[in-house]
Amino acid sequence: MITHFRYSYLAALFVALGFTQVVTAETQPSINTDAAFEHEFGEHFLEAYWVVNPDHAIYEGYYKNADLCQIPSNQTRANLNKFLTEWELKLNAYDANKLNSSNKSEWAVIDLDLRKSLWELNVLKEWEWNPSHYNVAGPISRLLESNYTTLDQRLRIIGKRLKATPAYYSAAEQCVKNPSRVHTQLAIDQNQGALKMLGQDLENKFKHSGLSALEQNEYIAALNQARVAVLGYITWLKNLDQSLGDTGARSFRLGAKLYNEKFSFENPDSLGAEALYAHALIEKEIVLGKMDALADTLWSKYLTDKDKPQDKLVKIAQIIDVVSRQHSAPRDYVQNLRVLMADLTRYVSSTHLVNLDPNLPLGVREMPVYERGISFGNAESPGPYDATTAGYFNIIPPDTYPTNKVESLLREYNTWTTQIFTIHEAIPGHLVQLQHANQSPSRIRSVFSNTTMIEGWAVFGERMMLESGWGNDTPELLLMYWKWYLRSVLNTIVDHGVHVGNMSETEVKALIVREGFQSEEEAAIKWRRAELSSVQLTCYFSGFSQIYDFRTKWKKQQGERYTPLNFNEEFLSYGSVPVGIIIDLMNSNHE
Ligand code: ZN
Ligand code: ZN
């Protein structure tokens, strides 16, 4: 835990606010502390939280403030700062150790989120240097997809957001100062996606709606103004990007201080960024050893007439190259994925690994345009307030890729790798985990989700499936699994290397290609992702390690009573909170 950091940070906060006394009489814990905590934080805190975070609310399926397009002004940030500071003080009026285990975990989750948000607002300040922070498309698209109320009603809400769009982008231009060029270019691309989203389809929805002619005209006029505003922001960014080319821009590298702080917020129970990096360097060698053995096994099947290279990296690469040719045709990829999803659904049920909700089938769909630009596929789940819609495995159809890139993409996502990929994104990975999180009785724990837990679970799900017998230890599948897992390990090395060290584009790509056996295309994507994000890439390996180690201990401790279903269901029942908090809860539940 990062207790020390918390107290020193709070101390600084009190000084800043001029507090002389930390706990006032009114915020003293009442007689029934748990009940008071549940009332104050289970109800009032979240209500107030959604007022200052209306966009986040939409993603959680909470629509009470959905018509509010928040203008990113100084006033908005001051309000947020005040909110975070006041609630952190209220939270600290409770002695977490006197709360029951469920409330104790919520206390920890809220505390982490408030401190992280204050740090993001006042220290990291991404709102200043990352122009892709500003995009109106996401919430509007969510509102269009959700069925929480009639389309007409949702169009009115969207209409109000469209009216605020010009003010939104003009405030955004005021916020952006000395951005990094890669984030500026991302903002240009993604706002071009937003422009498409505000296109003819949306206009037709207004035209064919049940809204009065007066309302229709009003909102279509607002839509036109919104388009002008998005286009204006794009033009402004293009000019800015050119001038940054001359004057020099902020580096996209976070540097050791910000990196370590960010890492602590995302991985509150780990040994820290440096320790994880050291662990990853060792794990890389272990995995390469396993792949070496599998390459020997497969050599006699595929390359028996060829001389086996002495260099194990060259040997593994040659075997991977042969096995990677086993892949779908570009236009069949999405359909094959649907078949695989059905197979995985049947498998996890018949082997009793995890429970699936039969009323919420998990689907595959083409990724919405505005989300494209970072990865080939992702999991999209409804929020806990809106848990009646299904989750989706979003995929960019390979046949929409430039022709010269399709083959390389499909070799990377070949028949074997696609199985691991789908296990990770969908079953029993992200979609299953998020579906369980939505059923968690604690809204707090579902809403303030921890990326390390979420990615760690998906990586853990891959290993669990193979250990349970999925694929019957087929050497091709195992080889591709280790290659895939090696990505998590290399992600950690790359992320740390780029943001704390000075790892260059050439070095990153060489590592990914030579020791990760990935294509040039994947190496380029990884470099881009390392430029655009930080710490996120370490979460896979960090979360996996924590969960796997805990499961190993748990199995031993439970002996005969252990079943995968019991472990998985209980682990997932606590929501998307840091792994260490789940471990505490499970231990205290079984004392
Ligand atoms: Zn009340
Ligand atoms: Zn993932």
Side-chain angles (χ1 to χ4, degrees), residues 403-418:
T403 328
N404 60 340
K405 292 189 172 160
V406 175
E407 178 61 18
S408 148
L409 177 81
L410 288 172
R411 284 192 183 195
E412 202 64 41
Y413 291 92
N414 57 60
T415 302
W416 310 103
T417 309
T418 295

PDB file of all heavy atoms in Angstrom, residues 403-418:
ATOM      1  N   THR A 403      -4.440  -2.899 -47.976  1.00  0.00           N
ATOM      2  CA  THR A 403      -4.116  -4.217 -48.521  1.00  0.00           C
ATOM      3  C   THR A 403      -2.731  -4.722 -48.120  1.00  0.00           C
ATOM      4  O   THR A 403      -2.573  -5.893 -47.775  1.00  0.00           O
ATOM      5  CB  THR A 403      -4.173  -4.160 -50.079  1.00  0.00           C
ATOM      6  OG1 THR A 403      -5.176  -3.212 -50.436  1.00  0.00           O
ATOM      7  CG2 THR A 403      -4.487  -5.512 -50.655  1.00  0.00           C
ATOM      8  N   ASN A 404      -1.750  -3.824 -48.112  1.00  0.00           N
ATOM      9  CA  ASN A 404      -0.380  -4.271 -47.827  1.00  0.00           C
ATOM     10  C   ASN A 404      -0.170  -4.596 -46.346  1.00  0.00           C
ATOM     11  O   ASN A 404       0.888  -5.039 -45.946  1.00  0.00           O
ATOM     12  CB  ASN A 404       0.634  -3.224 -48.311  1.00  0.00           C
ATOM     13  CG  ASN A 404       0.436  -1.879 -47.614  1.00  0.00           C
ATOM     14  OD1 ASN A 404      -0.643  -1.602 -47.055  1.00  0.00           O
ATOM     15  ND2 ASN A 404       1.466  -1.057 -47.623  1.00  0.00           N
ATOM     16  N   LYS A 405      -1.183  -4.333 -45.517  1.00  0.00           N
ATOM     17  CA  LYS A 405      -1.023  -4.589 -44.088  1.00  0.00           C
ATOM     18  C   LYS A 405      -1.843  -5.782 -43.591  1.00  0.00           C
ATOM     19  O   LYS A 405      -1.673  -6.231 -42.471  1.00  0.00           O
ATOM     20  CB  LYS A 405      -1.409  -3.340 -43.299  1.00  0.00           C
ATOM     21  CG  LYS A 405      -0.425  -2.223 -43.535  1.00  0.00           C
ATOM     22  CD  LYS A 405      -0.632  -1.052 -42.635  1.00  0.00           C
ATOM     23  CE  LYS A 405       0.538  -0.064 -42.824  1.00  0.00           C
ATOM     24  NZ  LYS A 405       0.216   1.276 -42.367  1.00  0.00           N
ATOM     25  N   VAL A 406      -2.727  -6.279 -44.450  1.00  0.00           N
ATOM     26  CA  VAL A 406      -3.656  -7.321 -44.005  1.00  0.00           C
ATOM     27  C   VAL A 406      -2.949  -8.617 -43.633  1.00  0.00           C
ATOM     28  O   VAL A 406      -3.203  -9.202 -42.582  1.00  0.00           O
ATOM     29  CB  VAL A 406      -4.732  -7.579 -45.095  1.00  0.00           C
ATOM     30  CG1 VAL A 406      -5.627  -8.734 -44.693  1.00  0.00           C
ATOM     31  CG2 VAL A 406      -5.573  -6.332 -45.297  1.00  0.00           C
ATOM     32  N   GLU A 407      -2.037  -9.068 -44.485  1.00  0.00           N
ATOM     33  CA  GLU A 407      -1.385 -10.347 -44.253  1.00  0.00           C
ATOM     34  C   GLU A 407      -0.602 -10.329 -42.938  1.00  0.00           C
ATOM     35  O   GLU A 407      -0.670 -11.264 -42.138  1.00  0.00           O
ATOM     36  CB  GLU A 407      -0.471 -10.703 -45.437  1.00  0.00           C
ATOM     37  CG  GLU A 407       0.314 -12.005 -45.291  1.00  0.00           C
ATOM     38  CD  GLU A 407      -0.567 -13.267 -45.155  1.00  0.00           C
ATOM     39  OE1 GLU A 407      -1.766 -13.220 -45.500  1.00  0.00           O
ATOM     40  OE2 GLU A 407      -0.033 -14.290 -44.670  1.00  0.00           O
ATOM     41  N   SER A 408       0.105  -9.257 -42.705  1.00  0.00           N
ATOM     42  CA  SER A 408       0.891  -9.142 -41.479  1.00  0.00           C
ATOM     43  C   SER A 408      -0.016  -9.134 -40.243  1.00  0.00           C
ATOM     44  O   SER A 408       0.259  -9.780 -39.236  1.00  0.00           O
ATOM     45  CB  SER A 408       1.758  -7.878 -41.574  1.00  0.00           C
ATOM     46  OG  SER A 408       1.953  -7.310 -40.323  1.00  0.00           O
ATOM     47  N   LEU A 409      -1.135  -8.431 -40.353  1.00  0.00           N
ATOM     48  CA  LEU A 409      -2.099  -8.393 -39.254  1.00  0.00           C
ATOM     49  C   LEU A 409      -2.642  -9.793 -38.957  1.00  0.00           C
ATOM     50  O   LEU A 409      -2.713 -10.219 -37.812  1.00  0.00           O
ATOM     51  CB  LEU A 409      -3.257  -7.455 -39.610  1.00  0.00           C
ATOM     52  CG  LEU A 409      -4.377  -7.371 -38.566  1.00  0.00           C
ATOM     53  CD1 LEU A 409      -3.990  -6.430 -37.429  1.00  0.00           C
ATOM     54  CD2 LEU A 409      -5.688  -6.928 -39.186  1.00  0.00           C
ATOM     55  N   LEU A 410      -2.998 -10.513 -40.023  1.00  0.00           N
ATOM     56  CA  LEU A 410      -3.618 -11.832 -39.831  1.00  0.00           C
ATOM     57  C   LEU A 410      -2.617 -12.891 -39.377  1.00  0.00           C
ATOM     58  O   LEU A 410      -2.983 -13.831 -38.693  1.00  0.00           O
ATOM     59  CB  LEU A 410      -4.343 -12.269 -41.099  1.00  0.00           C
ATOM     60  CG  LEU A 410      -5.639 -11.485 -41.360  1.00  0.00           C
ATOM     61  CD1 LEU A 410      -6.206 -11.822 -42.732  1.00  0.00           C
ATOM     62  CD2 LEU A 410      -6.677 -11.751 -40.274  1.00  0.00           C
ATOM     63  N   ARG A 411      -1.360 -12.725 -39.760  1.00  0.00           N
ATOM     64  CA  ARG A 411      -0.362 -13.654 -39.218  1.00  0.00           C
ATOM     65  C   ARG A 411      -0.219 -13.440 -37.718  1.00  0.00           C
ATOM     66  O   ARG A 411      -0.031 -14.380 -36.958  1.00  0.00           O
ATOM     67  CB  ARG A 411       0.975 -13.452 -39.903  1.00  0.00           C
ATOM     68  CG  ARG A 411       0.978 -14.038 -41.282  1.00  0.00           C
ATOM     69  CD  ARG A 411       2.371 -14.109 -41.855  1.00  0.00           C
ATOM     70  NE  ARG A 411       2.293 -14.612 -43.211  1.00  0.00           N
ATOM     71  CZ  ARG A 411       3.321 -15.058 -43.889  1.00  0.00           C
ATOM     72  NH1 ARG A 411       4.525 -15.042 -43.340  1.00  0.00           N
ATOM     73  NH2 ARG A 411       3.166 -15.508 -45.102  1.00  0.00           N
ATOM     74  N   GLU A 412      -0.278 -12.167 -37.328  1.00  0.00           N
ATOM     75  CA  GLU A 412      -0.200 -11.853 -35.895  1.00  0.00           C
ATOM     76  C   GLU A 412      -1.435 -12.429 -35.190  1.00  0.00           C
ATOM     77  O   GLU A 412      -1.327 -13.021 -34.130  1.00  0.00           O
ATOM     78  CB  GLU A 412      -0.134 -10.327 -35.731  1.00  0.00           C
ATOM     79  CG  GLU A 412       0.454  -9.862 -34.432  1.00  0.00           C
ATOM     80  CD  GLU A 412       1.920 -10.244 -34.223  1.00  0.00           C
ATOM     81  OE1 GLU A 412       2.708 -10.168 -35.179  1.00  0.00           O
ATOM     82  OE2 GLU A 412       2.261 -10.629 -33.085  1.00  0.00           O
ATOM     83  N   TYR A 413      -2.611 -12.213 -35.771  1.00  0.00           N
ATOM     84  CA  TYR A 413      -3.855 -12.737 -35.185  1.00  0.00           C
ATOM     85  C   TYR A 413      -4.267 -13.996 -35.947  1.00  0.00           C
ATOM     86  O   TYR A 413      -5.321 -14.056 -36.574  1.00  0.00           O
ATOM     87  CB  TYR A 413      -4.942 -11.658 -35.210  1.00  0.00           C
ATOM     88  CG  TYR A 413      -4.621 -10.545 -34.244  1.00  0.00           C
ATOM     89  CD1 TYR A 413      -3.908  -9.414 -34.656  1.00  0.00           C
ATOM     90  CD2 TYR A 413      -4.967 -10.647 -32.897  1.00  0.00           C
ATOM     91  CE1 TYR A 413      -3.568  -8.411 -33.749  1.00  0.00           C
ATOM     92  CE2 TYR A 413      -4.638  -9.650 -31.991  1.00  0.00           C
ATOM     93  CZ  TYR A 413      -3.939  -8.536 -32.427  1.00  0.00           C
ATOM     94  OH  TYR A 413      -3.610  -7.552 -31.530  1.00  0.00           O
ATOM     95  N   ASN A 414      -3.395 -15.010 -35.888  1.00  0.00           N
ATOM     96  CA  ASN A 414      -3.642 -16.256 -36.608  1.00  0.00           C
ATOM     97  C   ASN A 414      -4.656 -17.118 -35.856  1.00  0.00           C
ATOM     98  O   ASN A 414      -5.168 -16.730 -34.799  1.00  0.00           O
ATOM     99  CB  ASN A 414      -2.315 -16.988 -36.819  1.00  0.00           C
ATOM    100  CG  ASN A 414      -1.620 -17.247 -35.482  1.00  0.00           C
ATOM    101  OD1 ASN A 414      -2.159 -17.919 -34.602  1.00  0.00           O
ATOM    102  ND2 ASN A 414      -0.429 -16.664 -35.313  1.00  0.00           N
ATOM    103  N   THR A 415      -4.909 -18.305 -36.402  1.00  0.00           N
ATOM    104  CA  THR A 415      -5.902 -19.226 -35.824  1.00  0.00           C
ATOM    105  C   THR A 415      -5.673 -19.483 -34.336  1.00  0.00           C
ATOM    106  O   THR A 415      -6.619 -19.562 -33.559  1.00  0.00           O
ATOM    107  CB  THR A 415      -5.820 -20.569 -36.581  1.00  0.00           C
ATOM    108  OG1 THR A 415      -6.056 -20.290 -37.962  1.00  0.00           O
ATOM    109  CG2 THR A 415      -6.856 -21.562 -36.081  1.00  0.00           C
ATOM    110  N   TRP A 416      -4.405 -19.592 -33.948  1.00  0.00           N
ATOM    111  CA  TRP A 416      -4.076 -19.939 -32.552  1.00  0.00           C
ATOM    112  C   TRP A 416      -4.153 -18.706 -31.660  1.00  0.00           C
ATOM    113  O   TRP A 416      -4.762 -18.724 -30.606  1.00  0.00           O
ATOM    114  CB  TRP A 416      -2.680 -20.579 -32.482  1.00  0.00           C
ATOM    115  CG  TRP A 416      -2.548 -21.680 -33.477  1.00  0.00           C
ATOM    116  CD1 TRP A 416      -1.893 -21.635 -34.668  1.00  0.00           C
ATOM    117  CD2 TRP A 416      -3.155 -22.974 -33.396  1.00  0.00           C
ATOM    118  NE1 TRP A 416      -2.044 -22.823 -35.345  1.00  0.00           N
ATOM    119  CE2 TRP A 416      -2.807 -23.669 -34.575  1.00  0.00           C
ATOM    120  CE3 TRP A 416      -3.951 -23.622 -32.449  1.00  0.00           C
ATOM    121  CZ2 TRP A 416      -3.222 -24.967 -34.830  1.00  0.00           C
ATOM    122  CZ3 TRP A 416      -4.359 -24.923 -32.697  1.00  0.00           C
ATOM    123  CH2 TRP A 416      -4.008 -25.587 -33.883  1.00  0.00           C
ATOM    124  N   THR A 417      -3.527 -17.646 -32.142  1.00  0.00           N
ATOM    125  CA  THR A 417      -3.499 -16.424 -31.336  1.00  0.00           C
ATOM    126  C   THR A 417      -4.896 -15.848 -31.138  1.00  0.00           C
ATOM    127  O   THR A 417      -5.207 -15.310 -30.079  1.00  0.00           O
ATOM    128  CB  THR A 417      -2.611 -15.363 -32.028  1.00  0.00           C
ATOM    129  OG1 THR A 417      -1.372 -15.962 -32.339  1.00  0.00           O
ATOM    130  CG2 THR A 417      -2.383 -14.174 -31.126  1.00  0.00           C
ATOM    131  N   THR A 418      -5.733 -15.983 -32.169  1.00  0.00           N
ATOM    132  CA  THR A 418      -7.091 -15.445 -32.072  1.00  0.00           C
ATOM    133  C   THR A 418      -7.856 -16.098 -30.915  1.00  0.00           C
ATOM    134  O   THR A 418      -8.669 -15.454 -30.257  1.00  0.00           O
ATOM    135  CB  THR A 418      -7.832 -15.630 -33.412  1.00  0.00           C
ATOM    136  OG1 THR A 418      -7.166 -14.825 -34.391  1.00  0.00           O
ATOM    137  CG2 THR A 418      -9.273 -15.170 -33.334  1.00  0.00           C
TER     138      THR A 418
END
